[in-house]
Amino acid sequence: MSYDGMRTPGRNEECWCGSGRKYKRCHSAFDDRLEQLWRQGEEVLPRRLYKNADDIEGIKVSAAVNTGILDYVGEHIEAGVSTMDINGWVNDYLAAHDAVSADLNFEGYPYSVCTSINDVVCHGFPDEGDVLSDGDIINVDMSTIKGGYFSDSSRMYCIGSVDPKWRRLVDVCHASVQAGLAAIRPWGHLGDVGAAVNKVATDAGFSVVEEYGGHGIGKEFHEEPFVGFTTKAGTGPILVPGLCFTIEPMVNMGTHSIKTDRSNGWVVRTRDGKPSAQWEVQLVVTDDGYELLSW
């Protein structure tokens, strides 16, 4: 048995990853490195979480639908559009591409997409009464299942003439995601990503939500690890090639404190009523960096 409780094949047996190759020519040296890191006290995630080449191709097919939806939203969103209109666009696009929403019915969530306007941090409900107005900012968070694989990403959209301070919040949040991507080093630490994200946001005078973050994803909607954005560099799980996860900081203009709507148990708002922004990308760690899958 290995560090993760999974049986290690014999050298001439088929590799555990499903490649069909002999273990000695596939993941033997890889597994030795994981075991050594674990013995050194590092946090090493179980091997079942790492995606092989076939998994990545499957995720890309799902992600093509996911990014296509967000492209479509960007082409049609404007003042006068309701968030329920967006939910309808999502359903139509999914049906046309033989895919389904990962959000719908996930732990009871009742819609196909999350639409979070202004002070809504995340999990905003689509509603016919929520009609976008000039000056609004909105996050549209989309998650897709196609061919058994999960993809997930979100974008901010600025409606009409947005207050420059609000637009700066949107831009800084986007820059923080880019900083998180730049911090990815194969065999480095996940905490490096969160620390880089946090520095960009807080250096700009904003705050980062602590309770919510990114997550592993691919064969399930939410897998290990939790990806926090208040972490310290040099801490957390090892960024092993094949690890697939999201970077999705929620950056607030005011305090990081949040509150959840008690009437539905889902919609999260800033406690001080000031705006919040979120961008989300999905990636896989590679031997020389990372590959962006959904954005």
Side-chain angles (χ1 to χ4, degrees):
M1 288 291 182
S2 181
Y3 74 95
D4 58 2
M6 191 168 83
R7 177 184 175 273
T8 298
R11 287 177 55 78
N12 290 310
E13 292 181 346
E14 184 176 323
C15 187
W16 57 263
C17 74
S19 67
R21 300 172 64 196
K22 290 184 177 181
Y23 179 61
K24 66 183 178 182
R25 298 188 181 279
C26 195
H27 272 86
S28 178
F30 177 91
D31 287 359
D32 286 346
R33 187 169 187 177
L34 295 182
E35 191 78 24
Q36 182 179 16
L37 287 166
W38 179 77
R39 291 182 183 281
Q40 291 171 353
E42 296 285 2
E43 185 177 351
V44 184
L45 296 169
R47 286 174 289 177
R48 60 180 171 77
L49 294 174
Y50 304 129
K51 308 303 184 288
N52 63 28
D54 289 341
D55 294 330
I56 298 305
E57 289 307 309
I59 294 170
K60 286 180 178 179
V61 172
S62 177
V65 178
N66 209 68
T67 55
I69 289 172
L70 294 176
D71 288 344
Y72 184 93
V73 171
E75 293 165 0
H76 294 84
I77 198 168
E78 61 183 358
V81 166
S82 76
T83 52
M84 189 60 80
D85 290 334
I86 297 172
N87 193 74
W89 297 345
V90 166
N91 286 331
D92 290 346
Y93 197 101
L94 288 169
H97 291 80
D98 192 28
V100 296
S101 167
D103 290 326
L104 184 62
N105 298 322
F106 177 73
E107 296 184 353
Y109 186 80
Y111 300 100
S112 295
V113 66
C114 298
T115 52
S116 303
I117 305 173
N118 298 339
D119 67 325
V120 178
V121 175
C122 60
H123 304 158
F125 277 16
D127 190 313
E128 291 180 357
D130 283 338
V131 178
L132 295 172
S133 301
D134 185 74
D136 284 337
I137 59 174
I138 178 173
N139 175 266
V140 178
D141 190 345
M142 185 63 220
S143 307
T144 297
I145 312 170
K146 184 174 174 65
Y149 287 100
F150 291 74
S151 54
D152 190 8
S153 52
S154 79
R155 300 179 194 172
M156 293 296 299
Y157 301 94
C158 294
I159 309 302
S161 300
V162 172
D163 185 316
K165 293 180 181 178
W166 288 33
R167 188 174 289 275
R168 178 172 176 266
L169 173 68
V170 171
D171 292 343
V172 167
C173 183
H174 188 268
S176 75
V177 172
Q178 299 306 308
L181 288 170
I184 294 173
R185 299 287 184 276
W187 305 101
H189 292 86
L190 184 59
D192 299 344
V193 176
V197 167
N198 191 275
K199 186 176 190 308
V200 169
T202 56
D203 282 357
F206 300 132
S207 62
V208 180
V209 172
E210 299 177 357
E211 293 89 340
Y212 293 94
H215 52 88
I217 183 173
K219 295 180 180 179
E220 300 291 341
F221 191 3
H222 286 184
E223 302 172 347
E224 295 178 74
F226 174 75
V227 184
F229 302 109
T230 57
T231 53
K232 294 182 179 180
T235 67
I238 297 294
L239 292 171
V240 176
L243 182 63
C244 183
F245 62 92
T246 66
I247 299 176
E248 49 178 310
M250 300 163 200
V251 179
N252 295 349
M253 182 174 286
T255 175
H256 64 81
S257 296
I258 57 176
K259 58 183 179 181
T260 302
D261 191 323
R262 293 183 179 179
S263 68
N264 55 53
W266 277 102
V267 180
V268 179
R269 291 183 169 84
T270 58
R271 188 166 292 279
D272 59 12
K274 294 182 179 180
S276 181
Q278 177 194 12
W279 292 85
E280 177 183 10
V281 298
Q282 179 182 358
L283 63 102
V284 62
V285 180
T286 63
D287 289 330
D288 56 2
Y290 67 89
E291 182 177 5
L292 207 56
L293 301 177
S294 189
W295 57 89

